[in-house]
Amino acid sequence: MKPVNVGLLGLGTVGGGTISVLNRNAEEITGRAGRAIQVTHASARDLNKQREFSTAGITLCQDPFEVVNNPDIDIVAELIGGIEPARELVLKAIANDKHVVTANKALIALHGNEIFRAAQNQGVMVAFEAAVAGGIPIIKAIREGLSANRIEQVAGIINGTSNFILTEMRERGLQFDAVLDEAKELGYAEADPSFDIEGTDAAHKLTILAAIAFGIPLQYDKVHTEGITDITPADVDYAGELGYRIKHLGIARRTDHGIETRVHPTLVPRKRLMANVEGVMNAVLVKGDAVGPTIYYGAGAGAEPTASAVVADLVDVTRALTSDPENRVPHLAFQPDALNDGGVLAVEDNETAYYLRMSAIDQPGVLAEITRILGERDISIEAFLQKEQEPDTTHVPIILLTQKVREGNMNAAIEAIEKLPVVSGRIMRIRVETLA
Amino acid sequence: MKPVNVGLLGLGTVGGGTISVLNRNAEEITGRAGRAIQVTHASARDLNKQREFSTAGITLCQDPFEVVNNPDIDIVAELIGGIEPARELVLKAIANDKHVVTANKALIALHGNEIFRAAQNQGVMVAFEAAVAGGIPIIKAIREGLSANRIEQVAGIINGTSNFILTEMRERGLQFDAVLDEAKELGYAEADPSFDIEGTDAAHKLTILAAIAFGIPLQYDKVHTEGITDITPADVDYAGELGYRIKHLGIARRTDHGIETRVHPTLVPRKRLMANVEGVMNAVLVKGDAVGPTIYYGAGAGAEPTASAVVADLVDVTRALTSDPENRVPHLAFQPDALNDGGVLAVEDNETAYYLRMSAIDQPGVLAEITRILGERDISIEAFLQKEQEPDTTHVPIILLTQKVREGNMNAAIEAIEKLPVVSGRIMRIRVETLA
């Protein structure tokens, strides 16, 4: 059969990785796909840049629209990232009857509903495995591998930068800022790391995971998002004393009331496999009603791991080229008419256990006041640590683990406790998940 | 679209699970597959047996060939297990132009080449996700999710019974036989557990994993297979002292000389995620040249986890019903004309590190003799434990960890050491893998 022609938008890290993998493993990929997959055209901002990979045999141009409008191209691989012009390019490619493969999580999370509708109408495929957890085939696992299940929960370590920082803080007892600087030097964090450390990147990915797990449209604006910037070495230590590790998780969970979607630092029991995913690695726990808990682990970023997913999508699209469009794997796992809005919950209606750290005057009756406020809001205490008073201070740290509670109740309790004269400053709260 | 009709062979554990999952999650499954998937016919040896699941709406019969020959059935799900009549039924179903879904690892490992050839000629699909690692979508991950990669290694905990026994031996310090009895009581081991504890079941699964990872035909007879029956609590303890845990692994690895396929107890460094997979759970490590190491974890057996894979295959086949047969995912990941025999190595040519435990007279010069024999065969010692002499014995246990060595060399060294007058009895050997 004649080769499939790919037009590549962007010759950055992922674009380069994609070309390298397609070249190096050409024989294996052809053997799997049944025909060769070749990059014939590519666009890049700077055509004269020195690159570490060969672009031999590829027609290069500066204008990505030239690639998207080229009638010889079967599949467009969008690897430039960001919203515009990526969105316009993808929609133009679809309108030109081309299939699209993209690694762009922000684009899919924010504009996927529009893009998938256009693709559906045109009868073309948009594949986005590389948008979540790099080389781990997590989209495929949920959308196809677990298609028998009513999915109950998805919980993922889906931002390698945050996981690297938390791992280093724990293993070496370092402050957040010190590790962040190191991560920048190692290339694990961008010069502007805010997307990673404030949770935005994880929220994009969680939006996608929640949609394909629960059959709901993409709803990025409903994800409650917190990053790891407030985590202190003391919290990491106290969590350890209580038998937990702090992980930055994206969690989507089906409850009787609706679906929780949230991204935040989380205490996870130390013995769980998810608590032992270290450094820049990613892992996603998916719990289905038939299969029970399953975990998918691997590299969540980097040129070749991401290219692994991009190329797997190219093979998938190639394998499905001749299939009847209405029988293909649906973009969001469910057929468009089977999607429902799923009642994604407001953050106040989420239910979880909490780690609370506060600073209180070391005098009799303080703990009684705090537990009274918690008790009035149906919050039970699971464990309690009181640390020694530091020299020259009047306050001691008090650490509480609570049982599960509605977040709205916890907000009210925290507000009331912070108003107590014996408590100083803000209360640090970190959610606790058993992931069992 | 009109529903897909499934004919089910066997109403045992997996058959019952499949019916339960299809009924319970009918709405979700239809939403994903784009049409309903319904079991219309089923065969069972005893039609009058009381069952825990409903067979309402299903036409039951005793003769499975009635199901296979029924013109209304689109997909046959073979869930009776064993070789015959399963083989004949599957071939007949294929000849009748039906797609097949099977959970039968022995059948695929031993007769898959014949079955896939027949299916290829007939233009039908044979799906077998449930044959390996229960509900974990590991076939899909390797065959589709990692299709960009040259696979370097697959290493799996793929027999839950063996993993349960090894976990209990370690956690509770028990003898093999005691845990086996307990496993039988808990339903984790069959009345005749030999397929599990002697490694046959894992070898069936490894045969399948090796084929789809490396693009080679199924070659069960070339797998070197050892079970866990010789592992003692002392070995478990010594492994722990050295920083390892003993896991029963199926390993398929690409080397410069050919492909290793082997199933045996293995020392794995305690900090690896794979070493922390406990009880009846399964996990498979797959290492690709682009993606690096990835791990897939979940329940490897049980009615509903296995049904999860069977039903996922039913959805997959349904989604691909209208696709051009030559564009479908190939049974063994690669197109038939891209398979090669891959040069599977004889066990003597495998390379691995070793744990050796022997019993020697406690006198000067013994260790020198042993290390001389190892040194003559280019075997370096990595670590060494000598235990205290037990009261009323003349011998002490000596434990060695070696560096990597060709298995043929190790065989010769062990033979020579066992002949030393100062060494008593057989040497216990367990292979060591870093899984890094």
Side-chain angles (χ1 to χ4, degrees), chain B residues 15 40 114-115 247 272 298 302 338 342 395:
Chain B
T40 57
E114 175 192 14
I115 289 168
K247 292 287 167 190
R272 299 267 180 260
H395 288 66

Side-chain angles (χ1 to χ4, degrees), chain A residues 31 140 149 319 327 335, chain B residues 31-32 144 149 319 327 335:
Chain A
K140 181 174 284 289
N149 291 267
R319 282 169 169 169
N327 273 293
Q335 301 291 333
Chain B
R32 288 180 175 119
E144 304 173 42
N149 291 264
R319 282 170 169 169
N327 273 293
Q335 301 292 330

Side-chain angles (χ1 to χ4, degrees), chain B residues 282-364:
Chain B
N282 280 201
V284 182
L285 167 79
V286 185
K287 211 171 152 188
D289 68 339
V291 75
T294 59
I295 295 177
Y296 308 85
Y297 165 92
E304 293 232 343
T306 309
S308 171
V310 170
V311 174
D313 272 350
L314 291 173
V315 173
D316 261 14
V317 170
T318 300
R319 282 170 169 169
L321 277 179
T322 63
S323 70
D324 189 344
E326 67 187 8
N327 273 293
R328 289 175 186 148
V329 180
H331 293 108
L332 291 179
F334 291 77
Q335 301 292 330
D337 61 7
L339 294 180
N340 65 74
D341 84 348
V344 174
L345 293 170
V347 62
E348 294 73 27
D349 292 323
N350 289 348
E351 262 193 20
T352 178
Y354 285 86
Y355 159 102
L356 302 177
R357 173 173 55 80
M358 60 197 79
S359 185
I361 293 173
D362 191 10
Q363 69 181 35

Side-chain angles (χ1 to χ4, degrees), chain A residues 24-25 31-32 140 143-144 147-150 289-290 294-295 297 305 308 311 319 322-324 327 333 335, chain B residues 24-25 31-32 140 143-144 147-150 289-290 294-295 297 305 308 311 319 322-324 327 333 335:
Chain A
R24 189 176 68 233
N25 294 342
R32 289 181 175 117
K140 181 174 284 289
R143 218 166 53 164
E144 304 173 42
S147 61
N149 291 267
R150 184 171 164 90
D289 68 340
T294 59
I295 295 177
Y297 165 91
S308 172
V311 173
R319 282 169 169 169
T322 63
S323 70
D324 189 343
N327 273 293
Q335 301 291 333
Chain B
R24 189 176 67 233
N25 294 340
R32 288 180 175 119
K140 182 175 285 288
R143 217 164 54 163
E144 304 173 42
S147 60
N149 291 264
R150 185 172 163 88
D289 68 339
T294 59
I295 295 177
Y297 165 92
S308 171
V311 174
R319 282 170 169 169
T322 63
S323 70
D324 189 344
N327 273 293
Q335 301 292 330

Side-chain angles (χ1 to χ4, degrees), chain B residues 182-193:
Chain B
E182 190 190 316
K184 285 182 192 171
E185 276 168 38
L186 289 168
Y188 293 159
E190 312 275 337
D192 174 4

Side-chain angles (χ1 to χ4, degrees), chain A residues 30-88:
Chain A
T30 305
R32 289 181 175 117
R35 55 205 284 190
I37 297 174
Q38 59 187 21
V39 177
T40 56
H41 295 74
S43 72
R45 248 177 298 185
D46 179 358
L47 296 183
N48 299 316
K49 193 173 164 187
Q50 286 291 339
R51 304 183 199 277
E52 283 173 18
F53 52 92
S54 161
T55 54
I58 303 175
T59 306
L60 299 181
C61 61
Q62 268 193 308
D63 179 7
F65 284 94
E66 265 184 49
V67 176
V68 159
N69 290 324
N70 187 312
D72 295 334
I73 284 170
D74 304 301
I75 309 174
V76 168
E78 183 278 298
L79 306 174
I80 48 178
I83 302 298
E84 295 293 359
R87 178 180 151 279
E88 202 185 335

